[in-house]
Amino acid sequence: MADEKETAEAPKKSKKMLMIVIAMTLVVLGGGGAGAFFMLRGDSASAAEEKPVKGAVVAIDSTLTVNLADGHYLKFGFSLQMTEAAGHEEIDASQALNLAIEQYTGRPIAELSTEEGRNKLKAELLEKIEKAYEHDGTPMVMDLYFTSFVTQ
């Protein structure tokens, strides 16, 4: 008789433990899902507000020729994608040209011969130009397009 009582109580305990485990799992999953929802919703809303609207493209007429390392050179030209906040005013491209010269002068040709290297240097140059052409915290430049890029 004592053996029958022990075996009858064992299933009740395991059912109770199973219910507790299921309840805890639902609480954890629900909390994680709610947290992810609020985090992602907050990021997308702020990202949508911060993304500038494209404006005019300013073509920089002069191409640049800079000396690279080991007797090589780079000849390139680029245009600036302005934001809508920049309006239709003419900009002085001298600072952008100077930053481009500083960015590329003396670089090894191997760095410019790979797509990864070119993209990295372009992103660094864009960041510098964005900071240089920022007005009261409002970005005036949002992208840069190479119109020519030749190394030798």
Side-chain angles (χ1 to χ4, degrees):
M1 281 273 181
D3 289 336
E4 290 177 15
K5 264 189 177 179
E6 286 179 20
T7 56
E9 287 181 24
K12 287 183 184 178
K13 287 184 181 179
S14 66
K15 284 184 183 178
K16 196 174 194 181
M17 185 60 117
L18 180 63
M19 294 300 279
I20 291 172
V21 169
I22 290 173
M24 293 298 286
T25 303
L26 290 175
V27 168
V28 169
L29 291 176
F37 171 76
F38 287 113
M39 287 178 64
L40 293 176
R41 187 184 76 163
D43 288 343
S44 64
S46 64
E49 292 173 10
E50 293 176 17
K51 186 174 182 180
V53 178
K54 287 184 177 182
V57 175
V58 176
I60 299 175
D61 294 329
S62 59
T63 58
L64 300 172
T65 304
V66 296
N67 291 324
L68 299 174
D70 300 326
H72 297 283
Y73 70 89
L74 166 67
K75 183 176 180 178
F76 67 105
F78 61 95
S79 297
L80 299 175
Q81 174 70 63
M82 307 304 287
T83 63
E84 189 177 56
H88 299 289
E89 297 177 23
E90 297 251 345
I91 66 157
D92 181 13
S94 300
Q95 196 169 10
L97 291 168
N98 187 56
L99 289 168
I101 291 168
E102 289 175 356
Q103 178 73 18
Y104 288 99
T105 299
R107 297 285 179 167
I109 196 165
E111 188 175 11
L112 298 171
S113 62
T114 65
E115 185 177 352
E116 182 181 326
R118 285 189 304 273
N119 289 339
K120 179 181 173 240
L121 291 172
K122 179 183 174 184
E124 290 173 4
L125 176 59
L126 177 60
E127 184 179 328
K128 291 175 184 177
I129 290 174
E130 285 175 339
K131 286 180 185 176
Y133 287 93
E134 191 174 277
H135 182 68
D136 294 332
T138 304
M140 298 295 157
V141 176
M142 65 184 294
D143 207 350
L144 119 86
Y145 308 115
F146 284 113
T147 54
S148 64
F149 198 91
V150 180
T151 58
Q152 186 171 1

